[in-house]
Amino acid sequence: MRAIRFVTGLQAAACLGVSLVAITVAGAGRNALVPQTLAAVIALGLALVVARFWRKAGWRYWLLVAACALALVWTLITGVALEGARRWLALGPVQLHTAFLALPLAVWAFARGFDDRRVAPLAAGLSFALLYQHDAASSLAWVLAIGAATFVQRPRQMVPWAVVAVAAVFAYAAWTAPDALPAVPYVEGLLAVSFATSPVVGALAAILMFSLPAPFLLVAASRPERRAEALALAALWAGWIFANLFGNYPAPVLGYGAAPILAWGLSIGLVFAEPAKEGDPAP
């Protein structure tokens, strides 16, 4: 785990450096570099705090999924609306993409909460909220993540499998619905614009973006007791990456935006979190 943490630290530093260059090449002004760097610093602190204290807090998995679903519903009610989509909460001058911050927590709780019958129905409700946010990228990432967790855990009860099927139907509905939001070159269209302007920068950005699930895959290979949550988080990020390639959705971590960077830091903290001395808390 120490070696994986070291490699992940190098990966994070490379992502920040290439991101700053890539968004500049793609057309972002210099004023975008400061919030991007600040988000990376906050994400580092978040990863360290979560890794140190998360598993020692005795979380209840169903409460985490419920809180994440409630955050999405709250965004639907009070969030910033753009072309019919409500995916963002305004915190002063900053708009944060709610699903990026909620889904890592929900995925982790779902992967660990198969013994709690309250988790699966709440996960289905979360899928419904994603559909009404008009967020096909997060719907895809969510169904891949809970599908990976369910496949690894192979629960005997049918309810988790049914939840995955429901999430898949909602993801399909989200992708077939029209999306009127235009692409911002340094947010959604980063790779294409970077390749067109500087092939070297575009190649580096693409390599680093596709490497984002790597820490979770390494943890899954080295820590069998964390395989379900680690593979679920890897699938979550793979979904966001694929969505960026096929739709007008943010380029995770490498594109401009605080929420994906914070979400990656949160995900890293969750998968590296140290257990309490007495063992993993009961659901």
Side-chain angles (χ1 to χ4, degrees):
M1 291 292 285
R2 186 173 298 177
I4 298 174
R5 290 189 181 96
F6 177 74
V7 171
T8 303
L10 294 179
Q11 179 189 18
C15 283
L16 175 59
V18 173
S19 172
L20 295 178
V21 175
I23 63 175
T24 302
V25 167
R30 291 185 178 180
N31 57 344
L33 303 183
V34 173
Q36 191 81 344
T37 304
L38 181 59
V41 172
I42 296 174
L44 173 62
L46 182 62
L48 294 174
V49 170
V50 172
R52 180 68 177 84
F53 298 108
W54 182 259
R55 293 177 193 263
K56 300 178 182 181
W59 300 102
R60 297 297 179 260
Y61 304 131
W62 73 272
L63 280 177
L64 281 174
V65 179
C68 293
L70 183 60
L72 296 180
V73 172
W74 183 252
T75 303
L76 285 171
I77 298 172
T78 66
V80 178
L82 292 175
E83 301 293 340
R86 286 185 180 269
R87 308 171 191 164
W88 307 270
L89 281 177
L91 299 178
V94 179
Q95 294 181 6
L96 290 178
H97 191 290
T98 313
F100 267 108
L101 300 177
L103 291 192
L105 297 174
V107 164
W108 183 86
F110 183 88
R112 303 218 41 104
F114 279 92
D115 293 332
D116 190 335
R117 295 182 178 180
R118 294 166 290 187
V119 168
L122 290 167
L126 191 150
S127 303
F128 190 69
L130 286 174
L131 172 65
Y132 274 86
Q133 280 193 341
H134 297 281
D135 191 349
S138 294
S139 291
L140 174 63
W142 172 246
V143 69
L144 290 178
I146 63 175
T150 305
F151 182 79
V152 173
Q153 295 284 21
R154 296 183 184 275
R156 293 183 179 180
Q157 62 270 31
M158 291 301 298
V159 174
W161 297 102
V163 170
V164 174
V166 168
V169 171
F170 287 161
Y172 174 80
W175 274 97
T176 55
D179 184 8
L181 282 175
V184 179
Y186 50 87
V187 179
E188 290 89 4
L190 181 73
L191 293 186
V193 175
S194 297
F195 268 114
T197 308
S198 173
V200 173
V201 174
L204 289 174
I207 291 170
L208 288 171
M209 186 184 300
F210 281 105
S211 76
L212 292 176
F216 313 110
L217 296 175
L218 292 173
V219 171
S222 63
R223 299 293 293 270
E225 73 278 8
R226 299 188 186 183
R227 184 165 295 145
E229 64 199 77
L231 289 179
L233 286 168
L236 180 74
W237 284 95
W240 276 325
I241 293 167
F242 291 143
N244 170 252
L245 298 179
F246 300 107
N248 292 335
Y249 297 99
V253 178
L254 277 296
Y256 178 72
I261 297 174
L262 297 176
W264 197 65
L266 174 59
S267 301
I268 292 297
L270 289 171
V271 81
F272 284 154
E274 293 298 332
K277 292 182 180 180
E278 64 272 15
D280 200 48

